[in-house]
Amino acid sequence: QRLMFANNGFGDQITGANCPGPHSGYGCCRSNGHMAWPKVVQAMWMRKDGGLAAVAYGPSTLRTTVGGREVVVKTVTDYPFGDTVTLRIVKGGGTFPIFARIPGWDAAKDAGTFRKFERNWQPGDEIVLAFSPKVVTEKGIHDSLAVRRGALVYSLKIDAETTALAAPTNRTGFPIREIRPKTPWNYALVVPASGLAARFVPAGDLTGNVFAQGRVPCALKVRGFRTDFGCWGTMRPSLSARANEPPPSPIVRTAADGPDEELTLVPMGATQIRMTLFPWTTPT
């Protein structure tokens, strides 16, 4: 079954394409789709109360002036794939506050606020933030569940097979590709009354493009099983590129369903084709 028909530039020529390109009435996608990263970097640091405020975290280096003195701050982190952030003064200094944002999902009492650190900063000084994210579920359509840990929403890891249907042309410079799943995806989660049990697999090698197809920057291990309940696993008749909506949960498990398996969930942004809203049932 086809989960997604990835289209880059010829949406007006393909029925059922769900990635509209510049010639299907959505020209802004090609121009604006890549702007998220520059905007994040641009907004990582701001000024606050005569000092600096760390607003968004990621590996970066800030070069600025505070009180007329040059200051260089290096952020060393695997965030959002890891849970520790180090803000290191590598040049300059002086007495001023540094405010570090504590995410609202953190277990700390001051979650959702800025934590203030003030001293006479010198090169080599560090602020180390160790966040404590929990695995939580959030309800979607038909009481299906999305799984989130900290800043990331997770999707089922589905092995994909990509086929080029047309070569790039002078018109767009983009090929047409079809992406199909190579592994099953019609799973339901097993969710005890105490909540979803999940094991976090920390980030490994994060060099290069962590969102490249097949990369797993970090993962969650959860329990689930394959099921065809409520036509889960089939396509919408009106749009072959989309699966049917998850059946209303909790679903009824039957003898035809598969055994419990350990499922691998990966950050949603690291998937080419994705299943993010899961039907679920309670263990028997």
Side-chain angles (χ1 to χ4, degrees):
Q1 296 281 2
R2 182 170 59 184
L3 279 187
M4 186 177 84
F5 204 126
N7 164 48
N8 289 307
F10 289 90
D12 52 348
Q13 299 179 17
I14 300 176
T15 301
N18 61 2
C19 290
H23 299 288
S24 60
Y26 295 89
C28 57
C29 295
R30 179 176 60 177
S31 302
N32 297 338
H34 62 286
M35 289 302 295
W37 288 118
K39 295 297 184 182
V40 168
V41 173
Q42 187 181 44
M44 280 182 167
W45 286 90
M46 296 184 180
R47 297 189 183 276
K48 177 175 171 65
D49 297 346
L52 302 173
V55 177
Y57 300 115
S60 60
T61 300
L62 169 71
R63 294 179 175 86
T64 187
T65 57
V66 180
R69 300 180 61 180
E70 182 184 17
V71 176
V72 178
V73 185
K74 185 175 183 179
T75 302
V76 181
T77 184
D78 289 339
Y79 185 91
F81 309 114
D83 304 327
T84 302
V85 176
T86 299
L87 308 177
R88 180 180 301 149
I89 307 295
V90 296
K91 185 176 181 180
T95 301
F96 57 87
I98 295 178
F99 297 86
R101 183 180 62 85
I102 309 301
W105 45 256
D106 191 63
K109 292 183 179 179
D110 58 347
T113 68
F114 282 85
R115 188 177 297 172
K116 181 179 180 180
F117 301 86
E118 186 166 11
R119 59 178 296 178
N120 182 11
W121 301 103
Q122 302 295 327
D125 289 346
E126 293 182 343
I127 299 171
V128 179
L129 306 169
F131 299 132
S132 301
K134 295 180 180 180
V135 175
V136 298
T137 56
E138 299 175 349
K139 286 192 175 182
I141 189 169
H142 295 162
D143 285 336
S144 58
L145 295 179
V147 182
R148 179 170 60 83
R149 181 184 186 275
L152 297 176
V153 174
Y154 285 74
S155 300
L156 180 69
K157 183 180 184 297
I158 304 172
D159 292 341
E161 182 177 40
T162 302
T163 303
L165 301 184
T169 68
N170 293 333
R171 183 184 180 192
T172 66
F174 292 100
I176 302 174
R177 296 188 179 97
E178 181 181 73
I179 304 176
R180 293 175 178 262
K182 294 173 61 177
T183 51
W185 59 268
N186 56 319
Y187 284 96
L189 298 179
V190 177
V191 183
S194 57
L196 180 68
R199 176 170 60 88
F200 178 62
V201 181
D205 178 18
L206 294 179
T207 58
N209 180 9
V210 297
F211 295 113
Q213 184 172 338
R215 293 289 299 271
V216 179
C218 60
L220 290 177
K221 299 290 187 176
V222 299
R223 303 301 295 179
F225 60 95
R226 287 188 67 185
T227 180
D228 294 322
F229 184 87
C231 296
W232 184 230
T234 57
M235 297 294 130
R236 296 185 189 181
S238 60
L239 185 58
S240 61
R242 289 188 182 273
N244 279 320
E245 294 172 348
S249 291
I251 67 172
V252 178
R253 194 167 183 177
T254 71
D257 293 330
D260 278 10
E261 300 180 38
E262 185 178 66
L263 307 181
T264 299
L265 308 186
V266 297
M268 186 175 69
T271 57
Q272 290 286 321
I273 48 179
R274 61 184 59 107
M275 202 272 281
T276 307
L277 288 172
F278 295 85
W280 57 276
T281 192
T282 55
T284 55

